[in-house]
């Protein structure tokens, strides 16, 4: 499972929140790295298994997120890591460019996924959800939260949507995302945004803040007791380029 939510605060400020859930046997990810792609400065954590990522932001203030879509049908034949889609889209100068690039890609070697992008040129009501179901790419309106799950999908989606909507009614806007993504319910550990199962758990929480004076990715990894064991932040500035990171 993975969980994505976001918040727009005026015309030039948005925040994105992403919980990454993975099998306990999967190798830990690399912390966010700075990279120059197509002469554009980008920031993204790296999955060492496929070499790609699940979230990126760049100097244009464009953020792109990818979640697995387990309800689709996996194409036959050899598959390409879905995380490489983020690398292909990371340098986009706008969400419209993300849309165009995605529509031009040959997706038939990728397992099903969804992609959502954000920038300050679109409002919350204009946020687009792209779904590749293994045979067809479709476009729809994106509504937070978005949940990806191979197991307990309906229950997890309902639980997290209800929690998110409840927080919206009683919590200040600048607190909703973090409270939602850091919620662990002992009665429903497998449905909680901060999820745990015998075979999988939430391994990291990534947030992106883009405004007129800030472009920053904040990254936290969690240990087996759901405690933060690593915290870092990285601004998407042209002078900040890093070649190596640590495994977390």
């Amino acid at each position: 499972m993975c969980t994505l939510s976001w918040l727009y605060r005026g015309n030039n400020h948005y925040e994105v929140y992403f919980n990454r859930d993975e099998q306990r046997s999967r190798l830990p990810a690399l912390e966010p790295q700075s990279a120059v792609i197509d002469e554009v400065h980008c920031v993204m954590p790296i999955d060492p298994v496929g070499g790609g990522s699940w979230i990126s932001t760049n100097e244009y203030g464009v953020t792109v997120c990818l979640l697995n879509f387990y309800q689709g049908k996996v194409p036959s034949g050899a598959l390409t890591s879905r995380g490489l889609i983020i690398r292909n889209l990371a340098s986009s100068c706008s969400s419209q460019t993300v849309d165009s690039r995605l529509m031009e890609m040959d997706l038939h070697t990728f397992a099903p996924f969804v992609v959502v992008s954000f920038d300050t040129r679109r409002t919350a009501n204009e946020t687009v959800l792209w779904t590749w179901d293994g045979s067809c790419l479709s476009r729809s309106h994106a509504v937070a939260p978005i949940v990806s799950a191979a197991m307990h999908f309906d229950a997890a989606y309902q639980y997290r949507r209800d929690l998110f909507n409840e927080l919206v009614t009683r919590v200040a806007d600048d607190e909703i995302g973090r409270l939602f993504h850091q919620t662990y319910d002992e009665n429903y550990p497998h449905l909680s945004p901060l999820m745990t199962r015998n075979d999988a758990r939430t391994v990291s929480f990534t947030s992106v803040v883009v405004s007129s004076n800030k472009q920053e990715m904040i990254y936290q990894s969690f240990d087996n007791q759901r405690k933060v064991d690593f915290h870092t932040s990285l601004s998407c500035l042209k002078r900040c380029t890093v070649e190596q990171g640590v495994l977390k």
Side-chain angles (χ1 to χ4, degrees):
M1 297 185 188
C2 291
T3 309
L4 168 68
S5 71
W6 59 92
L7 171 70
Y8 275 81
R9 304 174 65 185
N11 295 327
N12 63 351
H13 183 167
Y14 71 81
E15 300 177 13
V16 175
Y17 310 93
F18 197 119
N19 275 15
R20 185 184 188 222
D21 306 336
E22 278 296 348
Q23 294 291 316
R24 293 180 182 272
S25 59
R26 194 177 184 91
L27 290 174
L30 285 164
E31 66 166 284
Q33 310 286 294
S34 291
V36 178
I37 302 175
D38 301 326
E39 300 184 352
V40 176
H41 288 255
C42 308
V43 171
M44 69 188 79
I46 303 296
D47 174 15
V49 177
S53 187
W54 58 97
I55 183 171
S56 69
T57 193
N58 68 27
E59 66 181 82
Y60 294 112
V62 178
T63 300
V64 188
C65 301
L66 180 144
L67 300 87
N68 296 343
F69 181 58
Y70 295 102
Q71 288 65 48
K73 182 178 180 180
V74 178
S76 59
L79 296 176
T80 306
S81 172
R82 285 169 284 202
L84 296 179
I85 293 169
I86 290 292
R87 280 195 169 272
N88 290 333
L89 301 176
S91 62
S92 300
C93 62
S94 68
S95 287
Q96 287 85 353
T97 303
V98 172
D99 299 345
S100 298
R101 289 184 177 182
L102 197 55
M103 288 188 290
E104 292 170 358
M105 291 177 64
D106 180 1
L107 301 175
H108 289 89
T109 62
F110 295 99
F113 63 83
V114 298
V115 162
V116 187
S117 64
F118 308 89
D119 67 25
T120 56
R121 302 159 193 84
R122 278 180 172 169
T123 66
N125 290 332
E126 296 172 320
T127 306
V128 173
L129 173 70
W130 289 99
T131 302
W132 166 247
D133 66 4
S135 61
C136 179
L137 180 68
S138 60
R139 172 180 173 141
S140 59
H141 176 59
V143 178
I146 295 175
V147 175
S148 168
M151 298 174 60
H152 315 295
F153 172 74
D154 291 335
Y157 174 73
Q158 188 67 49
Y159 181 95
R160 297 178 193 186
R161 185 183 67 173
D162 290 347
L163 173 62
F164 186 83
N165 290 337
E166 188 268 332
L167 289 172
V168 167
T169 65
R170 66 175 181 84
V171 175
D173 286 352
D174 59 354
E175 295 294 328
I176 293 171
R178 286 172 178 80
L179 283 175
F180 172 67
H181 284 264
Q182 293 173 7
T183 295
Y184 172 77
D185 187 339
E186 292 183 352
N187 296 316
Y188 301 99
H190 60 301
L191 305 181
S192 302
L194 189 57
M195 182 273 291
T196 181
R197 295 197 315 251
N198 289 336
D199 63 325
R201 65 180 181 90
T202 299
V203 296
S204 66
F205 169 60
T206 306
S207 60
V208 175
V209 179
V210 173
S211 67
S212 58
N213 58 6
K214 189 174 187 179
Q215 289 177 227
E216 186 175 38
M217 177 175 285
I218 303 99
Y219 180 86
Q220 296 177 336
S221 66
F222 300 109
D223 63 21
N224 286 322
Q225 286 72 47
R226 304 179 305 281
K227 303 297 184 182
V228 175
D229 65 357
F230 183 79
H231 178 101
T232 189
S233 61
L234 191 59
S235 294
C236 194
L237 302 174
K238 289 188 176 183
R239 66 176 180 272
C240 299
T241 54
V242 179
E243 296 299 327
Q244 300 295 330
V246 299
L247 286 170
K248 275 296 175 187

